[in-house]
Amino acid sequence: MRNPVPELLDEVLRACADDDEGELLQTIPELADEDPDRFAVALCTLDGRVHSAGDAEHRFTIQSVSKPFAYALALADRGLETVLQHVGVEPSGDAFHEISLESNGRPRNPMINVGAITTHSLIGDPSLGLAERDERVLAGLSAFAGRRLEVDDAVAASEREHASRNLALAYLVHSQGKLDGEPHDAVDGYIRQCSARVDVRDLAVMGATLAAGGRNPVTGEQVVDSWVCTQVLSVMATCGMYDAAGDWMSRVGIPAKSGVAGGVLGALPGQAGLAAFSPRLDEIGSSVRGVRAFERLSVELGLHLMHAPEVASHVLHGVVEPDRDGDGRREVQLQGTMHFAAAEVAVRELQQLPDDGAPVVLDLSRVASTNAIGRRLLTEAVERMRGDGHEVEVADPDGHLAG
Ligand code: GLN
C-alpha cells in the first residue's frame, strides 16, 4: 500500500506553486541570491515519521524560525520567572523589527527582533563566554532538529554588515537594564543563531518536538520539559506571525513562526510538526507560498487548533449489566483518553448506576492514556462509591490510575 500522505503534500504543493507574488528579502544581500521558485513542504508525526514534497533537501537559513527555540532554551536554562523579567508575552501588533517595548522597557515578546535579541542573551549560564553561548544555542537547535546543524557563515557575515537596526534595538534594551551582557555580543550571537542552516524536514521535526511536549520523536531525546513547550507554543500562537498573528490564528489555527529566508514552521500540540519553504515574502516578512501551503494543510488535514474535537460521546465503551454474564457484577467499560472532559462524563456514568447492590467493575483496559485531572476524578469517584458502601473493583491492567 502506498502511503497517501506524501501525495496529499504533493497536491498542496501543486495547488500553491503558481503563486509568484512577493519579493525576496533585500536587507540581507546574501539571501537575495536564492532561487525564488524553490518550494517544499514537510510534516513530522509524533512517532517520528517525516513526510515531505518538493525541494525538501534544499537548505536555507532558519532566521526568525529560530526564535521560539531560543526562547525554549532560555526558559529551560533560566526558568520562567527570570525570562519574564526580561521579555514579555503580549502580541505587539507591530512589524518584526519595530521598537516594541513596554513602558518598563521590557520587549513585548520573544518573537520580534527586540525580544529575540534579549532572549538570546539569556541562553545558558550567565557566566558563559560568547563561543560557549554560541555552542549552547547551536547544540540546542540541533537537538530539536535531531541532527547537528551548521551555521552559514556567508549569510551571518552579510547580516552583520547590515545590523544597524538590530544593534539599535539591542542598545535600547540595554539602556533599560533588560539586556544581559553587551549589545554587540547579543546581536552577533543572535545573527549566528538566525544563520543556522535547515531544510523543511528539519523544521518539521523541530515543530514535532514542541508538539510532543519536548521529546524529539525521531531521536527520542527529551530536549526540554513539557511546561517549556506549553509556554513556547502559547507565545507562538499569539505572537509568532507578528502583526498578522490574529489573522493567522483564525484562518490557519496552528501555532507557527516564519523567517525571512522563506521558512515557516508550525506545531500542533499532540498531532504533528509542519514546515514549508519558499523564498518570496509578503509585506510582513513571511513566505507567500509557505503561508498558502499552511492555509491549505490546515483545511485538508483538519488541523485548526480551535476546531472542537469530539470527545465526550466516545468515553463509554459499554456497560455490561449484572445478568448478562451471570457473575452478578455490573461492568463499566471506559475507553480513549481520560482527560478532564472524558473523566467528567465517566464520573457521571458511575453516579447514575442503579442502586441495586450489584458489585461494580470499572474496566480501564481500553483506556489509552490519562492525565492528572483524569486520574484524580476517577480515583475520587471510586473512593466515594466505596465510601457510600458500594463494592467497586478497578480493572486497570496498564496501571493508568497508579501513574
Ligand atoms: N535575522 C533576521 C533579522 O534579524 C531575522 C528576521 C526574520 O526572520 N523575521 O532581521
Side-chain angles (χ1 to χ4, degrees):
M1 201 267 295
R2 259 205 347 263
N3 191 320
V5 176
E7 279 154 47
L8 245 155
L9 297 185
D10 261 328
E11 278 168 32
V12 168
L13 211 65
R14 254 179 287 131
C16 307
D18 57 349
D19 193 333
D20 56 8
E21 273 178 41
E23 302 286 335
L24 286 183
L25 182 82
Q26 302 302 328
T27 52
I28 304 177
E30 191 71 22
L31 291 184
D33 291 341
E34 180 67 274
D35 172 359
D37 284 322
R38 286 197 188 277
F39 192 15
V41 289
L43 179 152
C44 178
T45 65
L46 295 202
D47 61 355
R49 182 64 188 268
V50 183
H51 300 287
S52 60
D55 298 315
E57 318 273 288
H58 179 69
R59 292 194 180 158
F60 50 92
T61 51
I62 188 167
Q63 299 300 339
S64 285
V65 182
S66 64
K67 289 170 180 172
F69 300 95
Y71 186 49
L73 297 174
L75 289 166
D77 291 347
R78 300 283 180 95
L80 181 60
E81 216 175 297
T82 303
V83 174
L84 284 180
Q85 277 162 12
H86 291 80
V87 189
V89 291
E90 294 302 334
S92 67
D94 291 330
F96 69 82
H97 48 23
E98 268 315 310
I99 309 170
S100 301
L101 301 179
E102 294 169 353
S103 52
N104 61 3
R106 191 175 67 154
R108 282 197 198 281
N109 71 66
M111 301 293 130
I112 47 176
N113 285 10
V114 67
I117 294 165
T118 311
T119 302
H120 175 90
S121 73
L122 292 171
I123 297 173
D125 190 85
S127 66
L128 287 191
L130 280 193
E132 293 164 315
R133 173 156 305 121
D134 243 28
E135 176 50 27
R136 163 71 184 135
V137 174
L138 199 60
L141 295 178
S142 301
F144 275 106
R147 75 174 181 89
R148 178 73 192 181
L149 303 177
E150 77 281 1
V151 169
D152 188 326
D153 291 317
V155 172
S158 176
E159 182 166 3
R160 215 173 283 122
E161 280 175 31
H162 298 81
S164 326
R165 189 168 182 110
N166 281 336
L167 280 166
L169 295 175
Y171 273 101
L172 203 58
V173 186
H174 189 255
S175 74
Q176 307 274 348
K178 299 287 178 196
L179 187 77
D180 257 18
E182 284 304 310
H184 261 100
D185 293 347
V187 170
D188 204 59
Y190 162 76
I191 287 174
R192 290 180 61 76
Q193 168 196 314
C194 288
S195 303
R197 294 178 79 220
V198 290
D199 60 32
V200 271
R201 298 174 66 90
D202 296 324
L203 291 188
V205 175
M206 294 175 88
T209 304
L210 286 180
R215 185 176 168 279
N216 182 315
V218 175
T219 63
E221 184 188 349
Q222 187 73 40
V223 182
V224 290
D225 289 345
S226 93
W227 71 265
V228 170
C229 296
T230 307
Q231 178 72 14
V232 171
L233 288 169
S234 309
V235 176
M236 275 169 76
T238 49
C239 313
M241 300 304 273
Y242 314 120
D243 37 342
D247 188 41
W248 174 270
M249 198 57 200
S250 58
R251 270 186 313 137
V252 180
I254 300 172
K257 189 73 208 73
S258 62
V260 289
V264 187
L265 170 143
L268 198 65
Q271 292 213 52
L274 300 126
F277 166 71
S278 199
R280 287 193 200 91
L281 307 178
D282 60 21
E283 61 288 350
I284 69 157
S286 299
S287 164
V288 173
R289 288 183 187 173
V291 167
R292 281 199 60 193
F294 264 81
E295 287 170 351
R296 264 198 117 82
L297 282 168
S298 170
V299 174
E300 303 284 331
L301 310 184
L303 297 179
H304 200 298
L305 194 61
M306 299 307 170
H307 177 76
E310 266 187 56
V311 273
S313 56
H314 302 304
V315 174
L316 194 66
H317 180 76
V319 178
V320 180
E321 286 302 325
D323 48 356
R324 278 244 308 271
D325 57 7
D327 68 357
R329 305 190 308 170
R330 178 174 285 112
E331 225 173 274
V332 178
Q333 303 165 333
L334 303 182
Q335 64 184 5
T337 304
M338 286 298 134
H339 45 43
F340 173 75
E344 194 275 338
V345 171
V347 167
R348 257 186 295 126
E349 195 60 39
L350 291 172
Q351 231 180 356
Q352 282 160 14
L353 293 179
D355 209 0
D356 56 6
V360 173
V361 179
L362 182 63
D363 180 5
L364 303 181
S365 58
R366 293 173 189 79
V367 167
S369 62
T370 50
N371 67 4
I373 183 67
R375 282 193 290 280
R376 177 173 162 193
L377 286 180
L378 291 177
T379 308
E380 282 187 11
V382 169
E383 279 167 10
R384 287 175 192 198
M385 285 175 78
R386 286 180 181 150
D388 291 345
H390 295 285
E391 197 181 311
V392 186
E393 186 192 318
V394 181
D396 184 14
D398 298 323
H400 287 299
L401 295 195

